[in-house]
Amino acid sequence: MNRKSNIYKIILSGGGTGGHIYPAIAIANELKSRYPNAEFLFVGAEDRMEMEKVPQAGYEIKGLWISGIQRKLTLKNLMFPFKVLSSVLKSRKIIKSFKPDVAIGTGGFASGPLLYVANSKNIPTLIQEQNSYPGITNKLLAKKAQKICVAYDDLERFFPKGKIIKTGNPVRQDLLDVSSKAVDAKNQFDLKHGKYTLLVLGGSQGARRVNQLIEKELDFFDTQNVQIIWQCGKLYYQQYKIYGNTKNVQVYEFLNDMASAYAAADIVISRAGASSVSELCIVGKPVIFVPSPNVAEDHQTKNAMSIVENDAAMIIKEEDLDADFENKFSQLIASSDRQKVLGENIKKLALVNATKDIADEVEKLLNKA
């Protein structure tokens, strides 16, 4: 704590995707509600979406010149050691200037150099691991971190058991009661009340294979009495926005009001990023997961299977979409009982107090500082 002003200083790092950014913002918001005079600083990768989303949430952010390792030999990989060195040096300057009382990492490339420096300066650190299979950054940081907040069981394989606290993933608090808002949400989206509403989510950047599926199946959805809210992602919006002019299809680059989108939905097709999975557990709607195969250690499939194994969702792998999608989707649409079972079972897996529980752990570190 800054002894002169009696004000806590809290530094947070995480980014690259919404799955790392939004948990960090949720934790900051909870801590800010407890300590209105606290000072917050975010650190992200200078060319990624956190540089836009964090200021939109009302927080200052500084960028590091950092990115991940590519899977093939590229110029970016040759630059990686220089980026790490640059980011460590800049992190030292940031920490020396800001003098944080605690450092929080939510994963992503930028959190590596920042928490490494924080650990070397004996600043208490907490990492929040969203996935059922941890990324390399958090695995490396875990050795020196004081606390590791996780969302899944059996992570002792990767982290020191005594540091693990199962909290769940931070989610938007406005999702806690979407079921009561269905009628208003359908009106807000100008949807027909006699039709099934399908919500399609491909993650913050979009998902090429999911978008291809939806485009291919538009006529099929029409035969199933389905209307669609389709978040196709920033990378694909120009390609798919033309379908927003057709009947029963709404195409969005990004959905800012996720609570209303979830409330309006009867069925959801989604990637299986950790934040999406946690949100869908709270929302309690029947879900078909289409995990991305292009992520480290295939962790999206592992995330999805942790839900599917509890009879709480369906999964269709990308390579099976052409063969299985229409059959599985039409079976789900035809059975209100099956929809109800999936919705009830996924809701049982929700950890609704995650943000508060993580903030409690941060508070313990602040009190020790």
Side-chain angles (χ1 to χ4, degrees):
M1 194 189 310
N2 185 316
R3 302 297 171 196
K4 289 182 182 175
S5 59
N6 227 28
I7 292 171
Y8 284 121
K9 293 189 159 198
I10 299 166
I11 199 163
L12 304 98
S13 184
T17 67
H20 295 308
I21 298 162
Y22 295 120
I25 291 172
I27 294 166
N29 288 343
E30 175 64 24
L31 290 167
K32 192 173 184 179
S33 73
R34 299 183 187 196
Y35 302 105
N37 296 320
E39 292 180 25
F40 293 86
L41 178 64
F42 280 70
V43 176
E46 61 187 17
D47 58 347
R48 301 302 291 262
M49 64 186 286
E50 55 262 33
M51 302 308 289
E52 176 189 346
K53 298 299 179 187
V54 169
Q56 283 176 1
Y59 295 102
E60 182 185 354
I61 185 167
K62 293 188 182 294
L64 304 178
W65 184 46
I66 189 73
S67 61
I69 293 271
Q70 307 294 310
R71 294 191 181 193
K72 50 186 184 241
L73 186 63
T74 65
L75 182 61
K76 282 187 177 179
N77 276 355
L78 296 176
M79 297 298 291
F80 183 72
F82 301 100
K83 289 184 176 184
V84 171
L85 181 60
S86 164
S87 296
V88 168
L89 292 173
K90 189 166 183 183
S91 294
R92 285 190 195 282
K93 287 181 184 175
I94 291 169
I95 282 179
K96 187 177 180 182
S97 169
F98 187 65
K99 297 181 175 64
D101 296 295
V102 68
I104 301 164
T106 57
F109 317 128
S111 64
L114 185 90
L115 267 73
Y116 168 78
V117 172
N119 284 328
S120 74
K121 301 287 186 187
N122 294 317
I123 294 162
T125 61
L126 176 146
I127 58 177
Q128 196 263 321
E129 174 54 59
Q130 295 103 28
N131 290 296
S132 57
Y133 196 99
I136 189 167
T137 303
N138 278 352
K139 279 196 262 191
L140 291 172
L141 293 170
K143 293 167 187 167
K144 294 284 184 71
Q146 273 69 46
K147 294 185 182 284
I148 304 164
C149 294
V150 302
Y152 294 92
D153 294 320
D154 303 322
L155 289 182
E156 295 84 0
R157 293 174 293 155
F158 310 105
F159 299 138
K161 186 174 181 180
K163 297 180 180 181
I164 295 174
I165 305 107
K166 187 179 178 186
T167 56
N169 288 323
V171 297
R172 307 163 227 242
Q173 294 305 290
D174 57 356
L175 302 183
L176 296 176
D177 187 31
V178 299
S179 57
S180 66
K181 302 168 188 164
V183 173
D184 289 343
K186 288 194 173 179
N187 290 337
Q188 181 181 321
F189 279 96
D190 199 23
L191 295 163
K192 297 181 179 71
H193 287 273
K195 280 182 170 288
Y196 278 103
T197 301
L198 170 66
L199 173 63
V200 181
L201 302 170
S204 51
Q205 299 298 310
R208 183 171 64 90
R209 188 65 186 88
V210 173
N211 287 333
Q212 289 172 341
L213 171 77
I214 301 306
E215 180 182 40
K216 173 175 171 274
E217 300 293 355
L218 286 175
D219 289 340
F220 165 72
F221 289 131
D222 212 26
T223 68
Q224 300 292 307
N225 195 34
V226 168
Q227 56 197 344
I228 305 168
I229 301 171
W230 180 5
Q231 179 185 285
C232 65
K234 185 176 183 178
L235 299 176
Y236 304 99
Y237 181 66
Q238 293 304 317
Q239 182 178 352
Y240 293 108
K241 66 180 182 180
I242 54 167
Y243 295 109
N245 299 323
T246 57
K247 62 176 182 174
N248 302 324
V249 182
Q250 298 180 28
V251 182
Y252 296 90
E253 177 181 322
F254 191 80
L255 288 162
N256 287 311
D257 186 359
M258 281 305 304
S260 294
Y262 283 130
D266 297 300
I267 293 173
V268 183
I269 293 174
S270 177
R271 284 300 204 198
S275 289
S276 297
V277 172
S278 295
E279 288 186 355
L280 289 162
C281 287
I282 285 172
V283 167
K285 300 286 176 84
V287 183
I288 299 173
F289 285 118
V290 183
S292 171
N294 309 310
V295 293
E297 309 293 346
D298 198 23
H299 68 249
Q300 285 205 6
T301 298
K302 295 178 174 77
N303 291 347
M305 286 309 299
S306 70
I307 308 300
V308 173
E309 286 163 1
N310 286 281
D311 195 27
M314 296 168 63
I315 184 172
I316 308 177
K317 294 191 174 183
E318 280 197 357
E319 65 262 30
D320 299 327
L321 283 171
D322 290 336
D324 293 351
F325 179 77
E326 288 190 7
N327 184 35
K328 289 190 173 181
F329 187 87
S330 54
Q331 285 179 9
L332 182 59
I333 279 282
S335 175
S336 56
D337 288 345
R338 185 71 185 134
Q339 292 169 38
K340 187 179 179 199
V341 166
L342 291 179
E344 288 175 351
N345 285 351
I346 198 170
K347 209 167 177 67
K348 289 175 190 170
L349 302 176
L351 294 164
V352 297
N353 295 316
T355 312
K356 291 188 174 87
D357 290 345
I358 294 166
D360 287 347
E361 297 303 324
V362 175
E363 211 164 359
K364 290 173 190 174
L365 294 178
L366 288 171
N367 290 335
K368 284 182 187 174

